[in-house]
Amino acid sequence: MPGNVATLKEKNNKFICNNHVGAFKYSIGMNIKQIAVIGAGTMGNGIAHVCIQHGFSVNLIDLSIEALEKAQQQIEKNMDRQVKKGILTSEQTSAALQSLTLTTHLEEGVSNCQLVIEAATENPTIKKSLFISLDKVTPADCILASNTSSISITSLAAVTQNPSRVIGMHFMNPVPVMKLVEVINAYQTAAAVSSTIVELSRQLNKIPCVVNDYPGFIANRILMPMINEAIYSLYEGVAGVESIDTIMKLGMAHPMGPLQLADFIGLDVCKSILEVMYNGLGNPKYAPCPLLVNMVTAGHLGIKSGEGFYNYTAGTDQKVVSSRFL
Ligand SMILES: NC(=O)c1ccc[n+]([C@@H]2O[C@H](COP(=O)([O-])OP(=O)(O)OC[C@H]3O[C@@H](n4cnc5c(N)ncnc54)[C@H](O)[C@@H]3O)[C@@H](O)[C@H]2O)c1
């Protein structure tokens, strides 16, 4: 019924507006030029890559010099690949690489920035302590974004003096390839901060989608129950590993099956995100399957440990079902 749809839409709009509290002084589309990326791991190097590729200067910050050097090599390698594919020219690559600075000093790395994107290890204690420091050492009008996959943005905002400048900016892996940025408004995020991040994501040639901060946001809230259900189907003997993945690939046009995807993400990461949703939403449907729990306890974590639903001894391109499931 159209009346009901309109009412629901109005309610939703009202809800979203109510979620934007705080009078942040940003104007929509404010000029971000200098970005700090914290954490030079898988995601941090990808985020730094797309930022320098699209004309921003980046200070990449990590505790470990080795991680920073590895990240720079990874960025150079990925940009070389883009040159071979005709996405970038060698001149654009050298210019981009010149706008990348590596540092292990947090304060030095963020002092001249209009935006910080935190992509450090997924651990609430590490992230909260980083946000407490960022609150003190960044310019007052600097936006503080987190790339967390599962930690509440509202809880990160709550440890700062000005929570209205905190937001979630959830990039997907591999960052230079994947188009989506899930923009997560904390309960306290100012509307102008959200609009600025939407615009910035477009400048990075990404497609932003704005969601509100509840456990799992949208991407993982929908993806993780699907992966968990695939694991339950295997656990209950409904079908084998290859059949489950082939059905979802060919039947739903997914680029890879849910069990293979779980191996790529890391089974420990899948379990931990399901637990965040189980605890945060209080619904038993999010409880991790006992088979997933056993695999994580046994150290079968997917690609990173060499075995999950598949065995990767022969490399990640060779899909060999783990002998546990034959
Ligand atoms: N890997 C993915 O597929 C993926 C996808 C989306 C989002 N994320 C999120 O991105 C974030 C980073 O994940 P990742 O996979 O890149 O992790 P990673 O383990 O590859 O890298 C984390 C880096 O953070 C550094 N670090 C830890 N504490 C730090 C501190 N206090 N200051 C500076 N650097 C610090 C570590 O030295 C490490 O180099 C996490 O929040 C994760 O949930 C990951």
Side-chain angles (χ1 to χ4, degrees):
M1 275 178 278
N4 286 347
V5 172
T7 315
L8 184 64
K9 212 173 155 195
E10 265 166 35
K11 271 191 195 153
N12 280 341
N13 281 343
K14 196 167 163 229
F15 171 67
I16 289 166
C17 290
N18 283 345
N19 215 17
H20 286 139
V21 293
F24 202 76
K25 67 177 178 181
Y26 272 101
S27 60
I28 292 171
M30 67 83 61
N31 214 356
I32 290 176
K33 289 197 169 101
Q34 184 76 44
I35 299 174
V37 177
I38 303 179
T42 312
M43 296 304 285
N45 87 62
I47 296 167
H49 175 140
V50 294
C51 292
I52 57 172
Q53 181 184 343
H54 291 93
F56 297 90
S57 293
V58 170
N59 297 335
L60 182 58
I61 306 165
D62 203 290
L63 299 171
S64 137
I65 294 176
E66 292 74 36
L68 288 167
E69 287 170 353
K70 208 170 142 207
Q72 183 165 20
Q73 285 161 13
Q74 190 65 47
I75 294 171
E76 284 171 7
K77 196 170 141 200
N78 291 342
M79 283 195 166
D80 274 352
R81 196 175 295 145
Q82 287 178 309
V83 171
K84 285 190 188 110
K85 284 185 178 166
I87 299 168
L88 281 178
T89 64
S90 326
E91 292 73 30
Q92 285 168 328
T93 300
S94 343
L97 289 168
Q98 272 173 21
S99 51
L100 178 69
T101 305
L102 309 178
T103 179
T104 52
H105 297 281
L106 181 73
E107 189 163 353
E108 214 174 275
V110 299
S111 61
N112 62 343
C113 291
Q114 295 84 45
L115 168 67
V116 174
I117 306 175
E118 174 277 310
T121 311
E122 185 76 346
N123 173 313
T125 313
I126 293 178
K127 291 199 194 273
K128 280 187 185 162
S129 132
L130 269 170
F131 273 76
I132 290 170
S133 304
L134 289 173
D135 193 36
K136 294 181 187 135
V137 297
T138 50
D141 56 357
C142 173
I143 295 181
L144 308 181
S146 174
N147 183 53
T148 178
S149 342
S150 64
I151 295 166
S152 153
I153 306 296
T154 304
S155 74
L156 298 179
V159 300
T160 69
Q161 295 301 310
N162 179 4
S164 68
R165 63 170 167 152
V166 177
I167 192 160
M169 211 178 168
H170 186 200
F171 290 84
M172 305 290 133
N173 185 18
V175 184
V177 178
M178 299 289 280
K179 294 296 280 183
L180 177 69
V181 177
E182 195 177 23
V183 176
I184 303 127
N185 287 329
Y187 192 78
Q188 309 95 320
T189 308
V193 169
S194 188
S195 318
T196 303
I197 292 302
V198 163
E199 185 170 314
L200 176 93
S201 305
R202 292 194 180 120
Q203 287 170 15
L204 297 175
N205 198 26
K206 302 289 180 202
I207 297 171
C209 285
V210 181
V211 307
N212 289 312
D213 180 33
Y214 288 98
F217 317 134
I218 284 294
N220 282 322
R221 184 168 176 155
I222 294 172
L223 174 65
M224 288 301 159
M226 183 189 75
I227 285 177
N228 206 30
E229 200 57 33
I231 303 172
Y232 262 111
S233 307
L234 179 68
Y235 173 63
E236 290 169 4
V238 182
V241 171
E242 263 188 316
S243 298
I244 293 170
D245 273 355
T246 306
I247 286 165
M248 295 307 285
K249 264 174 73 177
L250 301 186
M252 315 301 150
H254 290 185
M256 72 171 72
L259 299 175
Q260 191 187 8
L261 180 57
D263 273 0
F264 268 80
I265 295 170
L267 301 191
D268 51 340
V269 175
C270 294
K271 174 175 169 278
S272 134
I273 297 175
L274 281 162
E275 282 166 350
V276 166
M277 295 199 293
Y278 178 50
N279 295 328
L281 297 163
N283 190 325
K285 75 178 173 181
Y286 300 111
C289 172
L291 172 59
L292 174 62
V293 176
N294 264 354
M295 291 175 78
V296 173
T297 309
H300 288 217
L301 307 179
I303 286 181
K304 66 173 114 171
S305 73
E307 187 158 3
F309 297 103
Y310 296 89
N311 183 302
Y312 300 95
T313 334
T316 49
D317 295 339
Q318 301 294 318
K319 256 180 59 198
V320 181
V321 174
S322 158
S323 57
R324 290 283 320 190
F325 302 113
L326 289 174

